[in-house]
Amino acid sequence: MGSIKVPRLDLEDFGHQVDNSTSTIQRLYQLYCDPVLSDLQLIVGQKSYFAHKLILSISSDVFKTMLTNPTWPEAYTDKIYLEEEPHCGLVFEDFLQYLYTGKVHLSHTSVLPVIILADKYNISDLSAVCVEYMCNHLIVPRTESCVLSWLNYSVMCNHRNLEKVCESYITANFQYVMETDEFLTISSDLLLKFLKSSDIVITSEIFLYQYAMKWVEKNILPSIKPETYLPENLSLLMQIVSSIRQCLMSREDLLLFQSGTRQIAEYLHKVTGVSCFPETKSEQYQNLTSSVSTLIKTTQSNTSPRIYTCDAWCTEISVPNVNEVQPGEILGAFYSTPCSFNAESDESWDWHIDLYPRGVLFRGCMMIGHYGNHSIDEVIYERVRLAISTNSSDCRSVKVTVLVYGLQNGVEYVVKAITKTCLFTSEHVIHHVNDLVAFSDLESKQSPFLLGEDHNEFKIKIIIRPFSSLVT
């Protein structure tokens, strides 16, 4: 009699997978702050928390080292005192709950101290959650903004992605960021970094100077007294003032700059007896009222124009009902810009702007060939395009920046800034800036690039400024 072969059965072929992980997590949470089974007490400030060495050790290798390494005194005690910053102490309960449940409530005020704790105790998953929250919640009303604090922390703790996202947002929305409450708390290093940048978007150079002086009045002047005078304070002030690009100001703005700088210099001279600015003369502003600000030589490194949204350099195109624009329809605008930053020059350049918000239309045509004719059908090239042209045959080297706006949390902001260097000549009188946004982004009301109550308005600003021979 032959043997009977019984096929091997795979247990996965029978029954079903049971997932009760939620109830398990709930039971773990019941352990949180339970003094009965707790084997450790954490003291943070005036508050104590019952905890479990096992939970802390599997969550954090820092806690594991503290609690199990015999060279650490914490390994021999059931009560540990943790030194935390006051704002971290306020969220320590949320932080500890995360170790038991994997859940945490984040807000603009709590996310920074939570990530500080996460990084301190090397809890990478919590740190990643905080970084993701920050990257997605940069845009808030001015009184609630924390983006400068987040940027400062990301630089210190090497969170490169967060640093990149924060810096990109701040650069494109610098005018808005200057008007927030936290701008006066920015570090001097970050302030100088942005003052030296040519990519920041601001109304004009004089506005940048005025807000920089507000920072100076809060952070430098109160500390400069005869008994507390430090040369580095004056050195910092000199760096700030010299970062302002006077050669890019109008005649009227330059006089305001001179007046403000003179007042600060006179105050410092009165308090410290030290002259802040060297006694040299500037040929560039010899026809203007003399003041200490004219005594600062403008170096070649600070003559590059920034992205100015004042009327002299910028125009705006707003499409209120973009969904009603016909495919391939062109929306045009005309405007003029100065041909240089020379305050004495009144010459201007004329520009013709064409916006294609619903694609570029290529009409049907007949191609006539030697071996026969071919009909080419009409087609819509699905691309959001901007075309800049001029009727002049003069050579013009310019930088074109397009600011694309969006709306989040009720705040209008610059979502992206696109800059292109263009050389206009008699043979090249038109330049295109393609893909302002993805074509599909203007087809959906969920798009981050649509404004207005009905979420149906598309708005851009175009800034054109000379790229070479800026100061003559």
Side-chain angles (χ1 to χ4, degrees):
M1 182 176 178
S3 61
I4 301 175
K5 292 185 178 181
V6 179
R8 182 179 178 182
L9 300 180
D10 193 336
L11 294 179
E12 292 184 358
D13 294 336
F14 294 87
H16 66 278
Q17 181 74 24
V18 176
D19 184 0
N20 273 335
S21 57
T22 301
S23 60
T24 301
I25 292 175
Q26 290 175 345
R27 287 194 294 272
L28 281 175
Y29 180 63
Q30 292 174 1
L31 293 175
Y32 172 68
C33 276
D34 184 354
V36 177
L37 296 177
S38 170
D39 56 1
L40 182 67
Q41 220 176 338
L42 300 177
I43 312 299
V44 181
Q46 301 299 318
K47 297 191 67 175
S48 63
Y49 303 90
F50 292 102
H52 304 78
K53 293 181 179 180
L54 175 63
I55 300 296
L56 297 183
S57 296
I58 63 176
S59 301
S60 161
D61 56 3
V62 175
F63 275 127
K64 182 178 180 180
T65 301
M66 290 172 59
L67 298 171
T68 62
N69 192 320
T71 62
W72 284 66
E74 286 83 359
Y76 303 98
T77 180
D78 58 1
K79 183 180 291 188
I80 298 178
Y81 291 85
L82 299 176
E83 296 292 334
E84 310 294 353
E85 295 293 330
H87 62 304
C88 291
L90 295 176
V91 300
F92 192 84
E93 183 173 357
D94 295 330
F95 165 75
L96 193 57
Q97 283 187 18
Y98 178 84
L99 305 187
Y100 283 80
T101 67
K103 297 179 180 179
V104 65
H105 178 268
L106 298 176
S107 68
H108 271 77
T109 55
S110 71
V111 67
L112 182 57
V114 169
I115 195 175
I116 290 174
L117 291 171
D119 288 341
K120 177 179 179 180
Y121 295 104
N122 198 26
I123 304 175
S124 58
D125 52 336
L126 178 56
S127 179
V129 168
C130 292
V131 167
E132 181 180 6
Y133 177 91
M134 290 169 159
C135 289
N136 293 327
H137 294 80
L138 297 175
I139 301 93
V140 292
R142 289 180 176 87
T143 55
E144 302 174 19
S145 178
C146 299
V147 64
L148 290 171
S149 303
W150 295 353
L151 173 60
N152 189 56
Y153 180 78
S154 67
V155 172
M156 289 192 303
C157 296
N158 203 33
H159 288 291
R160 295 301 184 193
N161 184 52
L162 177 60
E163 178 185 353
K164 181 180 178 181
V165 172
C166 288
E167 195 167 300
S168 176
Y169 167 77
I170 293 170
T171 299
N173 296 272
F174 200 74
Q175 183 67 40
Y176 182 85
V177 172
M178 286 196 302
E179 297 168 359
T180 63
D181 293 347
E182 71 162 349
F183 179 72
L184 296 180
T185 67
I186 188 174
S187 68
S188 58
D189 289 341
L190 279 181
L191 177 62
L192 286 172
K193 178 179 180 177
F194 286 112
L195 288 180
K196 293 175 181 178
S197 171
S198 297
D199 298 323
I200 58 175
V201 178
I202 54 175
T203 303
S204 65
E205 198 71 20
I206 192 63
F207 271 90
L208 181 64
Y209 166 73
Q210 290 170 342
Y211 278 95
M213 289 304 101
K214 288 182 180 180
W215 187 93
V216 167
E217 291 171 3
K218 181 181 185 298
N219 296 280
I220 296 182
L221 296 189
S223 64
I224 299 180
K225 302 184 185 305
E227 63 276 9
T228 60
Y229 163 65
L230 296 174
E232 51 264 35
N233 288 331
L234 292 185
S235 175
L236 175 58
L237 176 60
M238 283 290 294
Q239 292 182 67
I240 292 173
V241 174
S242 61
S243 296
I244 301 300
R245 302 176 184 182
Q246 307 165 55
C247 59
L248 306 181
M249 290 184 182
S250 67
R251 186 182 297 105
E252 294 77 11
D253 289 348
L254 186 57
L255 289 172
L256 291 174
F257 171 84
Q258 293 175 325
S259 175
T261 309
R262 183 196 304 117
Q263 292 177 14
I264 290 179
E266 289 175 349
Y267 168 80
L268 295 175
H269 182 70
K270 179 180 178 181
V271 171
T272 66
V274 176
S275 178
C276 304
F277 304 102
E279 296 281 342
T280 60
K281 294 185 178 180
S282 168
E283 296 179 0
Q284 185 177 354
Y285 308 119
Q286 58 184 350
N287 296 326
L288 300 174
T289 305
S290 176
S291 74
V292 289
S293 64
T294 66
L295 307 179
I296 306 173
K297 288 186 175 181
T298 303
T299 63
Q300 189 64 28
S301 61
N302 67 358
T303 59
S304 296
R306 308 183 207 265
I307 303 174
Y308 302 116
T309 59
C310 58
D311 292 341
W313 303 103
C314 176
T315 191
E316 176 183 308
I317 297 180
S318 179
V319 188
N321 296 293
V322 70
N323 64 326
E324 297 179 5
V325 176
Q326 296 301 310
E329 184 176 346
I330 304 173
L331 304 178
F334 292 91
Y335 92 113
S336 300
T337 61
C339 64
S340 76
F341 284 90
N342 187 343
E344 302 299 325
S345 174
D346 294 325
E347 295 182 28
S348 62
W349 287 339
D350 295 329
W351 305 102
H352 181 199
I353 311 294
D354 284 330
L355 173 64
Y356 302 77
R358 299 289 303 280
V360 182
L361 173 64
F362 291 92
R363 298 193 179 279
C365 62
M366 182 67 68
M367 186 174 68
I368 301 175
H370 182 72
Y371 297 103
N373 301 333
H374 298 277
S375 176
I376 299 178
D377 295 334
E378 181 176 285
V379 64
I380 294 291
Y381 185 37
E382 294 187 345
R383 172 166 282 184
V384 181
R385 169 183 285 180
L386 188 76
I388 305 104
S389 60
T390 174
N391 293 326
S392 173
S393 60
D394 295 339
C395 182
R396 303 178 180 181
S397 180
V398 299
K399 276 194 173 184
V400 176
T401 297
V402 182
L403 306 178
V404 184
Y405 284 79
L407 186 70
Q408 185 175 324
N409 297 323
V411 177
E412 186 177 299
Y413 72 106
V414 178
V415 183
K416 61 189 296 189
I418 307 166
T419 297
K420 180 178 181 179
T421 302
C422 302
L423 178 62
F424 290 86
T425 65
S426 58
E427 298 178 352
H428 199 172
V429 296
I430 185 169
H431 282 268
H432 294 138
V433 182
N434 289 314
D435 301 319
L436 299 182
V437 300
F439 184 80
S440 59
D441 278 331
L442 296 188
E443 303 298 309
S444 169
K445 285 203 171 186
Q446 304 304 316
S447 170
F449 301 103
L450 294 177
L451 312 174
E453 293 182 0
D454 297 328
H455 213 59
N456 198 30
E457 177 186 355
F458 182 56
K459 173 181 170 181
I460 63 173
K461 288 185 178 180
I462 304 101
I463 300 97
I464 304 177
R465 64 245 194 244
F467 179 57
S468 60
S469 301
L470 299 177
V471 183
T472 59

